[in-house]
Amino acid sequence: MVDFDRRDFLKATGGTVGASLLAGCTGNSSGSDGTKVGMVYATGGLGDGSFNDQAQQGLIKAKEELGIAYEESQPENNSEFASMQQQYAQNGSFDLVNCIGFAQKEALQANAKEFPEQKWTIIDESVDQDNVASYRFREETGSYLVGKMAGMLTQRDFSAGAGATTQGTNTVGFVGGIESPLIKKFEAGFQAGVKSVDDSIEMLSSYVGSFNDPAAGQSQARSMYNSGADIIYHASGATGVGVFRAAQDLGKFAIGVDRAQSVTQPDFADVILASMVKRVDTAIFNSIKAVVDDNFKGGTTTRLGLNDNGVEVAYGDQLGSEIPQDVKDALSQARESIIAGDISVPTQPQ
């Protein structure tokens, strides 16, 4: 079989492609490199100030620095993943199709086989096909750090912005989106970080069942706050906006996820202590650059963690300077210990 390199073909034809025939997608201006990328987002869509927006940042960076062109699709539910992936592959002009989120795995397993010449990337899962590059993260390690912060702050009187903790409550919370092995890693890491401070600290936990239901997130967070939690960490995409709103209503704190959410959700910056940033943007940019550089490595899984800043803690834009130095020092020490292998962080809640 002839190894047809679509990008070389596009360059040879002057980098021009026909108008997209894809339904339900949006595009940007044409790129100068000749490389064209398709993007299928997770449900919850753009504007979540979290996972999908972080992925898009990698796409935008690739356009600005590499000169690529791209088009995007925003499914409203999981049943649309397969058809949207297929539309890019059938179109024939896309050098790479990025699939955002673990929920796309099943659809991609089928499509990667059906379209063996199409290059694909999946985020948060692994697909064992020669034309798929997989990117995963060590979410539990970054979550451990914000858990340690929450554990230390819940044991003291602390106020900043519109939030406060009260010594003696000794309770924190976790709100997840869809209950799954991936989100369990966030919960497990957070729990381990909290318990590393004091095993007697109570941790409340619940799953909303959606990454796009702020009302339900607010309801569950209010229940946790009213039960004594003074800090809640969410891993729930756009649902997390409801957690922030509940924190603001009740004068408590929250911890964001995936992006620096005190920046992406500035209306809630007065209650967001920090965010566990997951560099999906780095994974997307690297996957595109690999195609541009003719260095695409299908059939491999790349894992990004603390040692390469694949996950990290971003202190709140408004509240970060108020967090006590001994807390920050403890997080720095824990980070180094995890990287050195002196702390092993579980991926399943205990």
Side-chain angles (χ1 to χ4, degrees), residues 19 37 54 69 103 144 158 166 168 268 297 312 340:
V37 176
Q54 186 78 332
Y144 179 97
F158 171 71
T166 303
F268 305 104
K297 296 186 184 304
E312 59 191 12

Side-chain angles (χ1 to χ4, degrees), residues 6-342:
R6 189 176 296 116
R7 186 166 63 89
D8 286 344
F9 171 76
L10 291 170
K11 283 181 174 177
T13 57
T16 58
V17 294
S20 172
L21 301 177
L22 298 177
C25 71
T26 55
N28 73 334
S29 57
S30 60
S32 59
D33 170 76
T35 300
K36 192 173 181 181
V37 176
M39 191 86 140
V40 182
Y41 289 103
T43 56
L46 294 171
D48 63 358
S50 186
F51 186 57
N52 284 311
D53 285 358
Q54 186 78 332
Q56 190 190 42
Q57 290 302 302
L59 200 58
I60 293 171
K61 181 180 178 182
K63 171 179 166 51
E64 293 175 347
E65 297 188 11
L66 305 176
I68 63 113
Y70 65 82
E71 295 189 12
E72 306 164 287
S73 298
Q74 299 186 62
E76 294 184 357
N77 54 67
N78 291 4
S79 66
E80 296 178 84
F81 289 145
S83 62
M84 288 186 170
Q85 293 173 9
Q86 288 168 3
Q87 287 178 71
Y88 284 118
Q90 290 169 343
N91 179 276
S93 69
F94 291 87
D95 302 277
L96 177 69
V97 179
N98 292 312
C99 304
I100 309 303
F102 68 89
Q104 299 204 42
K105 178 178 181 178
E106 184 177 352
L108 182 55
Q109 284 177 318
N111 283 326
K113 289 181 181 177
E114 185 174 351
F115 301 96
E117 302 302 323
Q118 176 68 63
K119 296 182 179 69
W120 308 84
T121 291
I122 186 167
I123 299 295
D124 278 352
E125 256 297 357
S126 295
V127 171
D128 187 19
Q129 297 286 336
D130 290 343
N131 55 339
V132 181
S134 304
Y135 287 83
R136 306 183 73 169
F137 297 83
R138 302 190 188 283
E139 295 90 350
E140 70 278 9
T141 59
S143 299
Y144 179 97
L145 299 181
V146 294
K148 179 174 278 293
M149 178 183 69
M152 293 181 73
L153 291 179
T154 192
Q155 291 194 317
R156 64 180 75 179
D157 291 323
F158 171 71
S159 62
T165 62
T166 303
Q167 186 176 20
T169 54
N170 242 30
T171 304
V172 300
F174 172 83
V175 171
I178 295 173
E179 190 166 1
S180 60
L182 175 71
I183 305 303
K184 285 289 187 183
K185 290 169 66 181
F186 290 84
E187 180 185 0
F190 184 69
Q191 180 189 53
V194 170
K195 298 296 184 181
S196 73
V197 177
D198 186 338
D199 196 51
S200 70
I201 297 173
E202 184 177 5
M203 179 176 143
L204 308 174
S205 181
S206 71
Y207 284 79
V208 172
S210 169
F211 292 113
N212 193 27
D213 192 345
Q218 183 177 7
S219 175
Q220 294 201 11
R222 287 185 70 90
S223 177
M224 286 186 183
Y225 287 131
N226 287 329
S227 296
D230 39 29
I231 302 171
I232 294 177
Y233 173 42
H234 90 90
S236 60
T239 297
V241 172
V243 176
F244 300 150
R245 187 166 289 119
Q248 208 168 51
D249 289 346
L250 298 173
K252 306 292 185 179
F253 289 120
I255 299 172
V257 76
D258 290 340
R259 299 193 75 190
Q261 293 205 280
S262 64
V263 176
T264 63
Q265 301 288 349
D267 290 346
F268 305 104
D270 58 356
V271 295
I272 298 175
L273 287 169
S275 298
M276 202 292 281
V277 176
K278 177 174 162 178
R279 300 309 301 266
V280 181
D281 55 335
T282 299
I284 291 299
F285 178 82
N286 289 349
S287 70
I288 296 171
K289 189 173 188 302
V291 172
V292 171
D293 293 343
D294 289 328
N295 192 34
F296 177 81
K297 296 186 184 304
T300 62
T301 296
T302 301
R303 294 180 184 272
L304 300 174
L306 289 172
N307 59 327
D308 45 22
N309 297 318
V311 294
E312 59 191 12
V313 175
Y315 291 111
D317 192 49
Q318 185 173 328
L319 304 185
S321 61
E322 303 294 323
I323 296 173
Q325 190 60 46
D326 68 303
V327 175
K328 292 181 177 179
D329 290 344
L331 265 62
S332 295
Q333 292 168 8
R335 179 182 184 277
E336 295 307 313
S337 295
I338 292 171
I339 292 173
D342 296 331

